[in-house]
Amino acid sequence: MNDEISRRLREAAAAHEPNRARILARVERGAADPDVRRRTPSIARSWPRAAIVGVVSAATLATGGLAVAAAIGGAPLLPATAPAPTVPSPTVTSPTVTPSPTPSSRTTTTTGPAPVPSPSPTWGSARPTPDESRVEDGPLWSEGSLDPHSTIYWAQSNLTLETTKPLTSVTVELRIAQTGGIWSTGSWQTLPSEDFTVTVRESGRALIYRWALKPGRTVPAGRHEFASQYNHETGVRSVERDSYHVDAQTADGSFAVRGGFSPTR
């Protein structure tokens, strides 16, 4: 039954044609009635006839539309609302963390030439053994010792030579082994310096101090001193490889003494 009623209402709405002439005549009669003019505003009188006709036409169309809507069974549909644009959510990218290299993966680069290891020192001649040492021969007597004024930076080696007869020729050599940082700082003797030729040279990993009596000179009988001075590496230096050797001549022949140096007493 509901479908039948809806069908008949639609047919009635489609067949309905508003009588525009009748509606317009009613409006004009209302505008001409003096009683109506006193009770209602004079809006109809102030509007032109064309405007009134337009209002009536609009009302007619609206009435027809509402009638059709009622016949269909509901209010006219409003235009669909456009959907709100979808805003994409921002994509957050986590930063990529590069791990630090472990100590085992690090490469150490050494610049410059590689250090050259220092060669092991080759020591000088060893101190004469008791069988080799000869501290006394004929008129000669000798003794070697480290000067008591030696320090941990500097030293002096002393040779005491005694002769009971004048010497017409004599050569004295003091051999100081290169134990590290050895270099000469001088030498001296108790005999006149102009009577000797004094040299210092390095040979066989040792410093050799040499005194040679000049031709025509003589060393008188007595006690004489010869000393060599030198710097060395910091510390107490060993003298066990230091040695001395003396060759001499007298009117009676040739003699020689040799030995080592005793540490400071």
Side-chain angles (χ1 to χ4, degrees), residues 127 134-135 141-147 156-161 173-174 223 225-226 239 242-246 257-265:
R127 177 179 177 178
R134 186 170 63 183
V135 297
W141 176 88
S142 62
E143 181 184 43
S145 64
L146 185 66
D147 192 273
Q156 177 176 297
S157 296
N158 300 327
L159 171 62
T160 300
L161 179 64
E173 286 188 353
L174 274 61
R223 185 185 182 95
E225 298 284 343
F226 298 85
V239 296
D242 299 345
S243 61
Y244 68 86
H245 187 96
V246 179
V257 292
R258 59 182 178 272
F261 293 86
S262 302
T264 303
R265 295 187 179 91

Side-chain angles (χ1 to χ4, degrees), residues 19-89:
N19 194 334
R20 296 181 55 192
R22 184 180 298 178
I23 295 173
L24 183 58
R26 289 180 181 179
V27 173
E28 289 179 350
R29 285 198 302 270
D33 191 350
D35 294 334
V36 175
R37 286 198 300 267
R38 286 194 297 267
R39 292 192 300 266
T40 60
S42 58
I43 185 169
R45 184 179 53 186
S46 60
W47 284 7
R49 181 181 179 86
I52 293 174
V53 174
V55 171
V56 173
S57 299
T60 303
L61 294 176
T63 302
L66 289 175
V68 173
I72 294 174
L77 297 178
L78 297 176
T81 304
T86 302
V87 179
S89 301

Side-chain angles (χ1 to χ4, degrees), residues 65-220:
L66 289 175
V68 173
I72 294 174
L77 297 178
L78 297 176
T81 304
T86 302
V87 179
S89 301
T91 302
V92 179
T93 303
S94 300
T96 302
V97 180
T98 302
S100 301
T102 59
S104 60
S105 65
R106 293 176 182 171
T107 303
T108 303
T109 303
T110 304
T111 58
V116 179
S118 301
S120 302
T122 302
W123 306 112
S125 299
R127 177 179 177 178
T129 64
D131 294 338
E132 295 174 339
S133 295
R134 186 170 63 183
V135 297
E136 188 174 358
D137 183 24
L140 301 179
W141 176 88
S142 62
E143 181 184 43
S145 64
L146 185 66
D147 192 273
H149 297 98
S150 298
T151 69
I152 60 173
Y153 310 105
W154 174 90
Q156 177 176 297
S157 296
N158 300 327
L159 171 62
T160 300
L161 179 64
E162 289 185 4
T163 178
T164 58
K165 292 181 178 182
L167 303 176
T168 57
S169 174
V170 62
T171 300
V172 178
E173 286 188 353
L174 274 61
R175 187 183 186 91
I176 308 301
Q178 181 58 267
T179 56
I182 297 291
W183 70 90
S184 175
T185 59
S187 63
W188 58 268
Q189 69 285 327
T190 55
L191 293 167
S193 58
E194 60 270 18
D195 290 349
F196 290 87
T197 300
V198 183
T199 59
V200 181
R201 63 188 177 90
E202 186 170 0
S203 175
R205 297 293 295 171
L207 282 180
I208 300 177
Y209 295 78
R210 189 173 187 271
W211 291 260
L213 184 66
K214 293 179 179 179
R217 309 295 174 94
T218 302
V219 173

